[in-house]
C-alpha cells in the first residue's frame, strides 16, 4: 500500500482537514491502488473515476474556502453493486442488468456522501446477492487477498476484499443472513451488522430493493473505529422506513470502554453447527483477550430449538419468498426473469424463486412460530449474559470454482450442510434482529482469516463495539495487511 491508502478512514479525514492530504490526492491514490490491485482480487466491478475526481475537486475547494467539513470529507469509499448510486452502473451481478444505470442513491450511501465520502466504484457481489459467496457469470469470483485461490465470501465479498487489499478504507455492504460478516471473516476486516432498524431502508413501491425485516446495511472497515463511525453516520429514523428508530447512542463513544464485569457466553457451535477444529481453535485462542479486558467469559452448552439444518432451511424459506417477490416486481416492470431471461440467470437463484413461489401464505406465516422460538432461546441466553461469542464461519475458506459458480461445501466434519449458507453461523441473528460483528482473530493454515462473532441483545450495539475494540487492542490485526503483495496478477492462485 502507499502511505495514503494505508490510512484508516478517520485518519485520512483528519489529514484532509489538516491539509496534509488533499481530497484529490486521496481519491487518486485509491484509483491508482484499484488499477494496480483489483486484477488480483476482482473486488471492484465498476470504477467511476471521472465522477469521483470531480467530487474530489469540489471537496478540495471546500477545504480551501474554509467550509465546514464532514467527518469523512474526501475519503474514498466503495458501494456494493446491489445498491444504487446515481449515475453509476448497477449490474447486480447479473447479465440481465449489465448496463443498468440508476438515477438515485440508496439512503445509507447518501448519508455517507453527506458526511463527505466520495464513491470511487461499485463492488463485486453474486447475482442479486442470493448466496454467501461472491461469484457470477458476469464478473467472476472475488478472492480474499490472503489467498487468491479462495473466495472472499458473500454477498458483500467485493467490499470486504476492497477494504482488505487497501483500495478503500471503507466500503458499504448489506446483510440478510451473513452477507457482511461472512466476507469480513474471510477477508480479515471488521464489520458490525447493527440492530435491525438502526440504519433505515426507505421503502419504495416497485423497487428492486425494499425494506425487509432481516436486511441491514453497514460498512466494512479495517478498524473498529471506522466501522463504528460509518454506522453512526448511516443511522437514524427515516419516515419511509417504519422499522427505523433514532439511534440511542454514538457507537464511537464506546471504543475505549473496558469490559469489567461484562458477562460473555462462548458457544463454539451455536447449538449444533458442525465446525472445523482448526477454526474453533483459532476462535477459542482469542477468548483470553476478552478476559484480559475484564470480561467474565464462560463456555455454554447452548441449544437452539431447531437443528442447524432445519434452521438454515427455515431462513432459506424467508429468502426464497424475497427472491420470488423481487422476480414478480421485475416482471411487473417489464423484465421477466423467469421467462426470456431465465437462461442468463444463476440456476441457484431460479431454484430459490421457485421455492418462494410454491410456498403458501399460511406456511410462510407458520415459519414465524419457529422464528419466535429462536428469539426466545436467544433472549433466555441474553437474560444471563451480555454478549454471545462464537465463530462466524465454520470452515477455513471456500475455493473459487473454475466454472464461476462458487458455493460452499455440502458437508462439514461429516455432517451435511446447505452449500449456499449452511457453513456460516450468522443467519440466526438476522432472524431475531440482533447486532452482531465479525472480528478478525487469526488465520487458518491456508492463510484465510478467521472471524469471531460478537452478538448482543437488540439495541446492544454499543456493547458489541466495546468488546470488538477490546479485542482489536489486544489482538491487533492491522499488521496483516502490510504482508499482502498482490501485484497485478489475476486471482488464480495463492
Amino acid at each position: 500500500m502507499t502511505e495514503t491508502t494505508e490510512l484508516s478512514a478517520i485518519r485520512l479525514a483528519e489529514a484532509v482537514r489538516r491539509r496534509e492530504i488533499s481530497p484529490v490526492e486521496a481519491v487518486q491514490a485509491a484509483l491508482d491502488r484499484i488499477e494496480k490491485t483489483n486484477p488480483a482480487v476482482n473486488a471492484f466491478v465498476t470504477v467511476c473515476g471521472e465522477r469521483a475526481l470531480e467530487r474530489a475537486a469540489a471537496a478540495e475547494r471546500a477545504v480551501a474556502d474554509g467550509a465546514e467539513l464532514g467527518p469523512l470529507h474526501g475519503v474514498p469509499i466503495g458501494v456494493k453493486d446491489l445498491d444504487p448510486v446515481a449515475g453509476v452502473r448497477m449490474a447486480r451481478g447479473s447479465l440481465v442488468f449489465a448496463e443498468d444505470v440508476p438515477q438515485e442513491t440508496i439512503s445509507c450511501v447518501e448519508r455517507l456522501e453527506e458526511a463527505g465520502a466520495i464513491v470511487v466504484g461499485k463492488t463485486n457481489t453474486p447475482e442479486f446477492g442470493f448466496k454467501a459467496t461472491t461469484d457470477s457469470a458476469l464478473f467472476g469470483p472475488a478472492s480474499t487477498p490472503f489467498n487468491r485461490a479462495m473466495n472472499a465470501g458473500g454477498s458483500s465479498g467485493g467490499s470486504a476484499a476492497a477494504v482488505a487489499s487497501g483500495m478503500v478504507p471503507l466500503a458499504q455492504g448489506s446483510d440478510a443472513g451473513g452477507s457482511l460478516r461472512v466476507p469480513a471473516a474471510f477477508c480479515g476486516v471488521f464489520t458490525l451488522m447493527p440492530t435491525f432498524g438502526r440504519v433505515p431502508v426507505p421503502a419504495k413501491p416497485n423497487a428492486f430493493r425494499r425494506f425487509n425485516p432481516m436486511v441491514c446495511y453497514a460498512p466494512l472497515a479495517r478498524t473498529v473505529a471506522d466501522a463504528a463511525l460509518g454506522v453512526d453516520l448511516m443511522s437514524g429514523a427515516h419516515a419511509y422506513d417504519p422499522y427505523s428508530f433514532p439511534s440511542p447512542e454514538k457507537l464511537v463513544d464506546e471504543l475505549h470502554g473496558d469490559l469489567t464485569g461484562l458477562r460473555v457466553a462462548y458457544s463454539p457451535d451455536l447449538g449444533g453447527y458442525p465446525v472445523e477444529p482448526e477454526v474453533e481453535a483459532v476462535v477459542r485462542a482469542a477468548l483470553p483477550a476478552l478476559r484480559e479486558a475484564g470480561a467474565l467469559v464462560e463456555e455454554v452448552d447452548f441449544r437452539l430449538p431447531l437443528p442447524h439444518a432445519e434452521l438454515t432451511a427455515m431462513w432459506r424459506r424467508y429468502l426464497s419468498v424475497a427472491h420470488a417477490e423481487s422476480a414478480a416486481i421485475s416482471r411487473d416492470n417489464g423484465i421477466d426473469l423467469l421467462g426470456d431471461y431465465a437462461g442468463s440467470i444463476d440456476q441457484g437463484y431460479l431454484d430459490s424463486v421457485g421455492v418462494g413461489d410454491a410456498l403458501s401464505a399460511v406456511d410462510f406465516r407458520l415459519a414465524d412460530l419457529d422464528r419466535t422460538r429462536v428469539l426466545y432461546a436467544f433472549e433466555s441466553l441474553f437474560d444471563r449474559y451480555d454478549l454471545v461469542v462464537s465463530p462466524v464461519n465454520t470452515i477455513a475458506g471456500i475455493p473459487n470454482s473454475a466454472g464461476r459458480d462458487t458455493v460452499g461445501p455440502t458437508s462439514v466434519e461429516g455432517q451435511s450442510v446447505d452449500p449456499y449458507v449452511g457453513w456460516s453461523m450468522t443467519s440466526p441473528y438476522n432472524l431475531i434482529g440482533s447486532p452482531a460483528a465479525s472480528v478478525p482473530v487469526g488465520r487458518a493454515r491456508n492463510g484465510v482469516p478467521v472471524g469471531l462473532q460478537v452478538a448482543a441483545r437488540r439495541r446492544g450495539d454499543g456493547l458489541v463495539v466495546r468488546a470488538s475494540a477490546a479485542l482489536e487492542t489486544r489482538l491487533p490485526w492491522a499488521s496483516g495487511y502490510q504482508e499482502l503483495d498482490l501485484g497485478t496478477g489475476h486471482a488464480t492462485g495463492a
Side-chain angles (χ1 to χ4, degrees):
M1 300 184 194
T2 65
E3 182 179 352
T4 299
T5 57
E6 288 177 4
L7 295 176
S8 69
I10 290 174
R11 292 290 303 278
L12 180 55
E14 288 175 351
V16 168
R17 284 193 292 274
R18 294 171 181 165
R19 306 192 184 193
E20 298 167 352
I21 298 172
S22 77
V24 170
E25 289 171 338
V27 167
Q28 189 61 60
L31 295 173
D32 291 344
R33 179 70 180 173
I34 292 169
E35 182 178 11
K36 177 182 177 182
T37 304
N38 196 56
V41 293
N42 198 26
F44 276 93
V45 295
T46 299
V47 177
C48 50
E50 184 176 345
R51 177 185 188 274
L53 287 170
E54 288 176 356
R55 296 194 170 212
E60 194 160 313
R61 289 193 294 273
V63 174
D65 293 343
E68 184 176 350
L69 307 180
L72 290 179
H73 193 83
V75 174
I77 64 170
V79 175
K80 185 177 182 178
D81 200 33
L82 285 186
D83 300 311
V85 173
V88 182
R89 180 178 70 158
M90 183 177 73
R92 309 168 177 88
S94 177
L95 293 164
V96 176
F97 294 97
E99 302 304 326
D100 187 42
V101 179
Q103 299 307 308
E104 60 185 358
T105 300
I106 190 170
S107 64
C108 61
V109 174
E110 277 185 329
R111 290 181 173 187
L112 294 178
E113 289 183 319
E114 289 167 0
I118 298 172
V119 176
V120 295
K122 304 299 291 296
T123 58
N124 205 350
T125 185
E127 189 165 31
F128 308 133
F130 88 97
K131 59 183 178 180
T133 47
T134 293
D135 198 355
S136 70
L138 180 59
F139 294 122
S143 300
T144 172
F146 292 90
N147 182 336
R148 286 178 278 158
M150 307 296 280
N151 199 261
S155 62
S156 306
S159 287
V163 169
S165 53
M167 300 184 210
V168 287
L170 202 70
Q172 174 264 5
S174 57
D175 193 316
S179 288
L180 285 164
R181 289 158 290 156
V182 167
F186 282 155
C187 292
V189 297
F190 176 78
T191 194
L192 166 67
M193 180 189 75
T195 296
F196 177 75
R198 187 182 190 106
V199 175
V201 187
K204 290 183 70 90
N206 298 323
F208 178 75
R209 301 286 288 200
R210 302 146 321 285
F211 67 79
N212 178 316
M214 292 194 301
V215 178
C216 294
Y217 291 83
L220 299 106
R222 292 194 295 268
T223 70
V224 177
D226 279 359
L229 175 61
V231 173
D232 281 340
L233 294 171
M234 290 179 172
S235 297
H238 194 292
Y240 288 91
D241 181 353
Y243 295 104
S244 64
F245 57 85
S247 299
E249 83 280 66
K250 292 294 184 184
L251 297 181
V252 292
D253 294 337
E254 300 290 334
L255 292 168
H256 305 294
D258 67 34
L259 308 184
T260 301
L262 211 62
R263 301 161 300 168
V264 178
Y266 172 58
S267 176
D269 61 359
L270 279 188
Y273 282 83
V275 183
E276 290 180 351
E278 181 183 14
V279 171
E280 199 276 329
V282 172
V283 171
R284 184 179 292 273
L287 300 181
L290 292 172
R291 295 188 177 100
E292 290 170 12
L296 306 173
V297 183
E298 179 181 348
E299 185 167 344
V300 296
D301 183 19
F302 176 58
R303 290 284 173 246
L304 285 166
L306 298 172
H308 86 276
E310 292 182 26
L311 184 71
T312 299
M314 185 255 287
W315 174 82
R316 284 288 300 272
R317 284 194 291 275
Y318 283 105
L319 199 65
S320 292
V321 169
H323 291 157
E325 182 186 11
S326 294
I329 291 173
S330 292
R331 184 179 62 247
D332 290 345
N333 289 335
I335 301 175
D336 188 357
L337 300 178
L338 305 184
D340 294 340
Y341 294 97
S344 301
I345 294 175
D346 193 305
Q347 187 59 47
Y349 177 80
L350 295 176
D351 291 344
S352 182
V353 171
V355 170
D357 277 338
L359 197 66
S360 74
V362 172
D363 286 340
F364 179 64
R365 296 303 299 171
L366 285 174
D368 279 346
L369 293 176
D370 283 333
R371 188 174 183 177
T372 303
R373 293 186 184 102
V374 173
L375 173 67
Y376 270 58
F378 273 109
E379 289 303 314
S380 177
L381 188 61
F382 285 128
D383 282 340
R384 295 179 287 130
Y385 298 95
D386 302 294
L387 296 168
V388 177
V389 300
S390 67
V392 173
N393 300 317
T394 71
I395 55 177
I398 297 171
N400 285 320
S401 169
R404 296 192 170 184
D405 55 356
T406 305
V407 295
T410 57
S411 67
V412 176
E413 295 300 302
Q415 295 187 45
S416 295
V417 298
D418 183 320
Y420 287 97
V421 293
W423 37 265
S424 167
M425 289 193 272
T426 51
S427 62
Y429 294 112
N430 295 84
L431 291 172
I432 66 173
S434 281
S438 177
V439 183
V441 290
R443 290 190 236 165
R445 289 188 297 271
N446 62 6
V448 175
V450 173
L452 178 147
Q453 187 166 223
V454 182
R457 182 171 259 156
R458 289 183 307 284
R459 304 205 185 193
D461 308 55
L463 289 179
V464 174
V465 167
R466 194 191 312 172
S468 299
L471 285 164
E472 182 180 34
T473 298
R474 290 160 180 81
L475 299 171
W477 55 76
S479 61
Y481 308 123
Q482 311 307 319
E483 301 170 17
L484 295 172
D485 182 14
L486 300 177
T488 57
H490 290 282
T492 55

